[in-house]
Amino acid sequence: MALFRKQKRSSIGFVLPDNNGDICVSGYTPLNKNPEIVTACRKIAELIGMLTIHIMENTESGDKRIINELSAKLDINPNPVMTRKTFIEAIVLNLLLYGDGNSIVKVNTSSGYLGSMYPVPAGRVSFIPSADGYSYTVSFDGKIYQSEDVLHFRLNPDGQYMWKGKGLKVILRDLATNLKQASQTEKSFFASKWKPSVIVKVDALTEEFANKAGRKKLVEDYLETSEAGEPWIIPADQFAVEQIKPLSLADLALADNVTLDKRAVAAIIGVPAFLLGVGDYNKAEWNSFVNSTIKSIVTGIQQEMTKKLIQSPKWYIKFNILSLLDWDIQTISTVFCSLADRGFVSGNEVRDKIGMSPKEGLDELKVLENYLPWDMSGLQKKLIQGE
């Protein structure tokens, strides 16, 4: 009979922390809880809030700015508790973040004059469509208002009710979840204790290694040093030291995925990617952003205000969107000095564009002597001989 000798076998196990489920996120991520989406929307709202609001009048010689009490109400004092900047920012944030593409403003009037205007929180607003779906009423604060009695700003017409806006919630939902998951993964990764950079192999048969106190004593005796950089002195037969490279975020390609998601968020909302921390500032990209995304939202606000706040058929509301374009002082000086030389603007208008106070005598339009109407080109002195 063959005798088989029992052998002692050792095994290695990996123990995961009891909070390993913290790395996963579940549930819907609201857009106003995602830092990247909030940053993009707030930047749009802040920029539009900075724009001066003008009342313009159509005239035969061109559009002229009107300055009166109504223009002051719109541009300076929309209500007793808000400035124009905070008023417009609230409208745009409702439009982009909280109102799912809709923003309602309550308008108070007295004897035909415009009073205070208040943005209504999106959570208090509900829309009631008519039987045929072509008109609607608005309900908030326990009252029902006709659509023409409130300002209703919209973003992206809804597929069923074309008078109603539809936000970007569905489009951005997956991206918001991905960005939240990436943030949670990074947080859990750095909080994890299972990332040793040095492993010390010890002869398990030594008595000191048999219990926790003995292992701690071995570390204190051989591995702990009083000064940084001091070498370890260890027994050659009992210890073996190995250095390992722990898993990093680069190995997970987390940064690349986050960059792609941020670029996707920027493209959907319509802001330059560098506003979300991706890439560098680009002047052409900024001006394109102002002329597309900002101008599109501003046009909708202008038209709604003009339609419901202005009675004169020759007046309309205009936001000074040109002030957001990236024009350096040299470009402004070159353009407006050239216009001044041709008599299109006065000297004080040029000084105003470069931030200087007006001076007396610079309101007159002047031209160089060789800028003449084409039918008077033959009357120049240098061309007239004798009489």
Side-chain angles (χ1 to χ4, degrees):
M1 177 183 295
L3 296 178
F4 294 93
R5 182 180 177 183
K6 288 186 177 181
Q7 296 180 352
K8 292 184 178 180
R9 297 182 180 273
S10 60
S11 61
I12 299 176
F14 294 93
V15 181
L16 294 177
D18 55 4
N19 63 340
N20 62 329
D22 292 348
I23 199 171
C24 298
V25 297
S26 59
Y28 171 65
T29 304
L31 299 187
N32 59 358
K33 300 297 183 182
N34 182 273
E36 289 78 12
I37 294 175
V38 171
T39 298
C41 294
R42 284 201 59 81
K43 177 56 67 175
I44 293 174
E46 289 172 0
L47 292 174
I48 296 178
M50 292 168 57
L51 300 178
T52 306
I53 301 177
H54 298 170
I55 294 181
M56 307 296 293
E57 180 183 13
N58 292 319
T59 66
E60 294 182 357
S61 59
D63 296 344
K64 181 177 65 174
R65 183 179 178 183
I66 301 295
I67 299 177
N68 53 21
E69 291 297 322
L70 179 59
S71 65
K73 167 63 66 176
L74 294 175
D75 190 51
I76 300 173
N77 184 31
N79 62 59
V81 294
M82 283 180 156
T83 63
R84 177 252 301 162
K85 185 176 187 298
T86 53
F87 173 71
I88 296 297
E89 280 187 27
I91 291 175
V92 178
L93 285 176
N94 256 351
L95 198 62
L96 296 174
L97 272 183
Y98 311 121
D100 196 19
N102 297 274
S103 185
I104 296 295
V105 173
K106 180 182 178 182
V107 180
N108 296 324
T109 58
S110 177
S111 302
Y113 290 93
L114 178 64
S116 297
M117 300 177 290
Y118 295 94
V120 183
R124 289 158 45 184
V125 176
S126 60
F127 298 95
I128 307 171
S130 62
D132 58 8
Y134 290 110
S135 61
Y136 66 100
T137 55
V138 183
S139 174
F140 57 88
D141 297 338
K143 297 181 180 180
I144 296 179
Y145 298 85
Q146 299 298 319
S147 59
E148 61 268 17
D149 295 332
V150 296
L151 295 177
H152 180 192
F153 305 102
R154 309 159 182 85
L155 181 70
N156 299 332
D158 183 78
Q160 182 176 1
Y161 300 112
M162 307 303 291
W163 43 263
K164 185 179 179 182
K166 183 177 181 180
L168 303 172
K169 183 183 297 183
V170 176
I171 301 175
L172 290 171
R173 178 180 299 169
D174 292 339
L175 292 173
T177 302
N178 291 345
L179 290 169
K180 183 179 180 181
Q181 178 66 72
S183 177
Q184 184 66 24
T185 301
E186 183 176 357
K187 180 180 178 181
S188 299
F189 183 86
F190 286 117
S192 175
K193 64 181 180 180
W194 304 101
K195 300 191 300 291
S197 57
V198 175
I199 293 180
V200 179
K201 293 195 297 185
V202 181
D203 186 356
L205 298 179
T206 60
E207 295 180 359
E208 292 87 348
F209 196 68
N211 54 66
K212 184 177 181 179
R215 292 191 294 272
K216 183 177 180 181
K217 187 175 185 304
L218 285 174
V219 172
E220 293 175 351
D221 292 343
Y222 295 103
L223 304 182
E224 287 188 356
T225 59
S226 59
E227 297 182 3
E230 185 177 347
W232 292 345
I233 307 298
I234 59 176
D237 297 334
Q238 295 181 355
F239 289 84
V241 180
E242 293 184 6
Q243 183 177 1
I244 63 171
K245 180 182 178 183
L247 186 67
S248 66
L249 290 175
D251 298 322
L252 300 177
L254 192 63
D256 295 337
N257 293 333
V258 169
T259 298
L260 290 175
D261 287 338
K262 286 185 177 182
R263 288 189 180 277
V265 168
I268 293 173
I269 299 179
V271 301
F274 59 77
L275 291 180
L276 302 183
V278 179
D280 299 322
Y281 174 80
N282 184 283
K283 179 178 179 180
E285 190 176 358
W286 173 267
N287 288 338
S288 176
F289 159 62
V290 172
N291 283 321
S292 55
T293 302
I294 298 295
K295 188 175 182 178
S296 175
I297 297 174
V298 165
T299 299
I301 297 175
Q302 291 175 170
Q303 292 179 351
E304 179 72 3
M305 284 185 165
T306 299
K307 178 181 178 182
K308 294 181 179 178
L309 299 180
I310 302 298
Q311 294 184 349
S312 173
K314 294 185 177 181
W315 290 9
Y316 67 93
I317 292 175
K318 178 182 179 182
F319 285 59
N320 184 24
I321 195 172
L322 294 178
S323 62
L324 294 182
L325 294 176
D326 187 2
W327 289 352
D328 57 78
I329 189 67
Q330 183 176 359
T331 302
I332 294 175
S333 176
T334 302
V335 170
F336 282 91
C337 284
S338 178
L339 294 174
D341 288 344
R342 288 163 173 78
F344 299 148
V345 298
S346 66
N348 278 332
E349 288 176 309
V350 177
R351 292 176 63 87
D352 178 67
K353 289 298 179 181
I354 57 178
M356 301 177 68
S357 300
K359 277 193 172 184
E360 187 177 354
L362 293 181
D363 289 323
E364 184 180 359
L365 297 177
K366 298 179 180 180
V367 296
L368 296 178
E369 63 176 3
N370 57 335
Y371 292 113
L372 298 173
W374 67 270
D375 56 346
M376 298 179 62
S377 59
L379 300 181
Q380 299 179 66
K381 292 182 178 180
K382 61 184 179 181
L383 299 179
I384 300 177
Q385 301 297 328
E387 295 182 0

